[in-house]
Amino acid sequence: MKQTKKFLMTVATLGLVAPCAFAGSLNLDMRVDYLSQNYNDAAQTAAVGLNNYKFVFNTGRIDYKGKLNEDTSFRLRYRFATKDQGAVTKRDSANATLDYAYVAHKIDMATVTVGKWASEVGGFEGNTSSTDQYLLSEAYSGTSYLAGTTTYLTGYSTELYVTGLKVGLKLADDHNLSLQVANTDTAVGRAPTGTGDSLTGTKFSQDNTLAGITYKGFFMDKSLGLLASYHTEQTNDDTTKVEYTSVGAQYMMNGFTGQLDYLSNSYKASETQTDTLISTVATLKYDMDTLTPIVKYVSSEEKLDGTPSTKNKYTSYGAALEWKPVKDDMYRYHVAYNNRTMKPETGDDRNLTEYFVGMRINADFLK
């Protein structure tokens, strides 16, 4: 009887200690919205979209983080919503629903990361969680939402998560540089088709890599942040090239956060054709404990090279309000409004207005 009690006490003690020592964190990160979209007559005439409303998963993912030892960490994040649940890609033998699957090993001032990880493309906008965004720039998500499905440019969202090798260097306190090589994605540029798997016929044909460099630094007791990046890839051969360049600044003071990004995407399709998509993004939010108002403004220009060339301009602004029932818990409600206008080189202005009402939760299963 005593031995039985001792055994049960040992099991109970291990059950309490083991999660603390080995479990890491296992999070449910989910955002659900009621979304209403309304297009003006010019947009509907251009067959861009129809007025609609729906309940939609903006985000749905499971995120596990852990440590093997003091110098080695790992992460796995899988999406159960918001991405195509289709076939495995030939680029990395993984499904598109896989955001992160990597191991990071610290070696002195360097951290070597192998697997699938965030590319750090797109300034502060690109490095802000999509669950905390209600309006995305054209450089981020492309122009098909008002340009239509026949002639438009993609954004850098196709390169947010890439598979390869990243070496992060700690230059000094609060100053970091990362060097990256990863698989390319050919589903970029003007009205892309296919899966972006770098195929010639049915043969896998990737013979170049995506290369990137990112600098992130903070000054003035971390109140001022700078983020700059450059990513480039040869998508098929020497005549096709994609470049993503970003420069961003962030200032934080007394609950206020202001961000300003300049984002430039260049898509070289041939020796004579290079399309460009440039966005300037300004964001301001104020954290008032349980309430957080957010305003955002985006100005973009899309140049489609050719004979003749075409230039389209985009202007968008949005406002959102977030409310947490409990300050220290990551459960909130939000409402948001966006007004988005495309000024095509010819024809009437196209407009889209959006309304969001929803909630977000990010909670650890193991706590």
Side-chain angles (χ1 to χ4, degrees):
M1 186 70 175
K2 289 182 179 180
Q3 289 180 336
T4 303
K5 288 183 178 180
K6 185 176 180 180
F7 174 76
L8 292 175
M9 288 295 294
T10 301
V11 171
T13 302
L14 289 174
L16 291 173
V17 173
C20 298
F22 307 112
S25 64
L26 179 62
N27 283 61
L28 169 66
D29 192 358
M30 185 175 70
R31 174 177 149 190
V32 180
D33 292 332
Y34 168 83
L35 169 63
S36 173
Q37 295 181 311
N38 296 280
Y39 297 86
N40 72 349
D41 291 341
Q44 294 194 50
T45 299
V48 171
L50 299 174
N51 295 342
N52 68 89
Y53 63 88
K54 59 183 176 180
F55 291 94
V56 60
F57 280 93
N58 171 277
T59 304
R61 56 200 183 195
I62 302 296
D63 191 359
Y64 180 66
K65 300 177 186 177
K67 295 189 72 173
L68 186 63
N69 53 54
E70 185 177 348
D71 296 322
T72 308
S73 61
F74 55 90
R75 185 174 183 180
L76 175 68
R77 192 170 84 184
Y78 169 79
R79 290 178 181 257
F80 57 83
T82 74
K83 278 195 175 182
D84 187 359
Q85 310 286 308
V88 167
T89 69
K90 293 180 173 60
R91 289 191 307 283
D92 60 6
S93 300
N95 192 282
T97 56
L98 187 69
D99 288 340
Y100 294 121
Y102 67 75
V103 176
H105 181 213
K106 292 182 180 179
I107 307 173
D108 295 326
M109 62 178 291
T111 300
V112 179
T113 303
V114 181
K116 192 170 186 179
W117 31 265
S119 66
E120 302 168 337
V121 68
F124 283 98
E125 181 191 42
N127 287 271
T128 299
S129 173
S130 60
T131 55
D132 295 324
Q133 301 202 62
Y134 308 94
L135 172 65
L136 297 173
S137 71
E138 285 71 28
Y140 187 118
S141 58
T143 60
S144 64
Y145 75 101
L146 279 178
T149 59
T150 54
T151 305
Y152 67 93
L153 292 177
T154 60
Y156 60 73
S157 61
T158 59
E159 316 291 358
L160 287 175
Y161 309 105
V162 294
T163 301
L165 170 69
K166 176 167 64 173
V167 178
L169 301 173
K170 187 173 183 179
L171 305 179
D173 289 342
D174 304 321
H175 295 271
N176 296 278
L177 187 73
S178 71
L179 307 174
Q180 310 163 15
V181 290
N183 291 333
T184 61
D185 187 343
T186 59
V188 296
R190 188 188 298 194
T193 58
T195 63
D197 271 334
S198 298
L199 296 176
T200 298
T202 58
K203 304 293 185 181
F204 191 68
S205 58
Q206 176 178 295
D207 59 0
N208 291 285
T209 59
L210 179 147
I213 181 170
T214 301
Y215 163 78
K216 189 173 186 178
F218 290 92
F219 307 83
M220 302 168 55
D221 294 327
K222 296 187 178 182
S223 61
L224 176 63
L226 298 178
L227 180 57
S229 67
Y230 174 77
H231 294 76
T232 182
E233 60 181 347
Q234 301 285 146
T235 55
N236 285 313
D237 51 47
D238 291 340
T239 62
T240 59
K241 185 177 183 180
V242 181
E243 295 177 293
Y244 303 100
T245 305
S246 69
V247 179
Q250 174 181 273
Y251 187 71
M252 302 176 68
M253 181 181 66
N254 299 328
F256 280 98
T257 300
Q259 296 174 340
L260 182 64
D261 289 313
Y262 176 82
L263 312 171
S264 176
N265 303 348
S266 173
Y267 311 90
K268 181 181 179 181
S270 67
E271 290 292 347
T272 59
Q273 178 186 312
T274 299
D275 300 324
T276 59
L277 177 56
I278 297 174
S279 294
T280 301
V281 185
T283 306
L284 181 65
K285 66 178 182 178
Y286 180 40
D287 187 357
M288 299 184 292
D289 292 333
T290 60
L291 286 176
T292 303
I294 305 168
V295 293
K296 187 171 183 177
Y297 174 82
V298 181
S299 178
S300 302
E301 183 174 86
E302 173 187 50
K303 292 183 180 179
L304 301 168
D305 202 0
T307 307
S309 60
T310 303
K311 182 188 298 184
N312 301 314
K313 293 186 177 182
Y314 298 80
T315 303
S316 302
Y317 58 87
L321 180 65
E322 300 174 346
W323 172 63
K324 289 183 178 181
V326 179
K327 176 184 176 182
D328 296 326
D329 289 343
M330 188 56 262
Y331 180 77
R332 70 156 192 257
Y333 297 97
H334 53 258
V335 294
Y337 166 79
N338 295 331
N339 189 296
R340 318 199 68 178
T341 300
M342 172 190 178
K343 296 182 179 294
E345 191 163 47
T346 59
D348 296 330
D349 292 356
R350 305 173 190 176
N351 180 264
L352 167 64
T353 56
E354 297 177 310
Y355 301 88
F356 296 86
V357 180
M359 74 84 189
R360 185 212 173 180
I361 184 172
N362 188 8
D364 191 346
F365 286 107
L366 304 181
K367 284 187 177 181

